[in-house]
Amino acid sequence: MGPAHVVGAAVIDGSGRDPSNLDITIENGRITQLGASSAHGERLDAEGLTMTPGLIDAHVHLGLSSPIQPHFSFQISAAEIAADIFATASATLDAGFTTVRDTGGIDGGVVTAIAKGKVRGPRVLSCGPVQCQIGGHGYYGAEWEPTELWSSHHIRACAPSP
C-alpha cells in the first residue's frame, strides 16, 4: 500500500503551540512526514478537521472487559472473555487512545496478539499481575467477588503435582 497524504487539517502537535494547517504523510499506518510531500499516493482532504496525537490512558484493566460476577464465577468461557477484551481494545483505539498501560491482570497473549496486529487495539504496556494489600482494591476478598470460587480454583491451579 502506497503512502496517503492528509491535507488541510488543523494539526495539534502536542507541543502546546497553536494548531496549524500541515500536510501529513502516512505509510503503513505510521506518520512518516510532516509538511508537503512530493511522493505519489492517495490524497485525503481533511479541510475543516483537526488532528491530534494519540491519547495515552495510564490506568486500564482490559482483562476486566466481561461482566465481573460471571467472569470471576467461571461462568464465561475463555473464548468469550478474550472476545470481550478484544472488543474493548478495539473500542479504546477508536476512542483515540493509541497507548494504554494495563495496571494488572492482562494475559500476555492478549498483549502479543495486539502487538502482532492479529486484533485491533492500542499499544499495551502491561504492569503484570495485580498487587494490593489485604482488603484493598483488587484484593480477592471484596463482597462483590465470589472468593469461595476463586480460592478453590486458585488452590487447584496452584497445588503442587503429586
Side-chain angles (χ1 to χ4, degrees):
M1 178 179 205
H5 306 287
V6 181
V7 297
V11 176
I12 297 173
D13 66 8
S15 69
R17 291 186 297 241
D18 288 339
S20 60
N21 284 354
L22 192 61
D23 294 349
I24 296 174
T25 302
I26 301 170
E27 296 182 62
N28 299 318
R30 302 255 185 218
I31 294 173
T32 58
Q33 183 174 337
L34 298 176
S37 172
S38 60
H40 295 285
E42 183 179 7
R43 183 181 185 277
L44 305 171
D45 184 4
E47 187 69 37
L49 300 176
T50 302
M51 295 183 72
T52 66
L55 302 172
I56 298 171
D57 190 334
H59 189 129
V60 301
H61 296 284
L62 292 176
L64 296 178
S65 295
S66 302
I68 199 158
Q69 187 67 33
H71 181 128
F72 284 114
S73 297
F74 309 105
Q75 297 170 2
I76 300 176
S77 71
E80 187 175 351
I81 291 169
D84 289 343
I85 291 169
F86 294 143
T88 298
S90 182
T92 301
L93 188 61
D94 289 342
F97 292 91
T98 57
T99 302
V100 298
R101 182 181 67 170
D102 191 278
T103 57
I106 193 72
D107 181 277
V110 171
V111 177
T112 300
I114 293 170
K116 287 183 174 181
K118 292 183 177 187
V119 294
R120 291 184 76 243
R123 180 173 55 156
V124 179
L125 308 174
S126 177
C127 293
V130 173
Q131 296 180 6
C132 71
Q133 72 277 16
I134 293 175
H137 174 68
Y139 176 65
Y140 293 110
E143 287 183 24
W144 53 268
E145 293 176 323
T147 55
E148 71 284 349
L149 291 173
W150 181 262
S151 296
S152 63
H153 175 75
H154 183 71
I155 290 168
R156 280 196 311 272
C158 298
S161 301

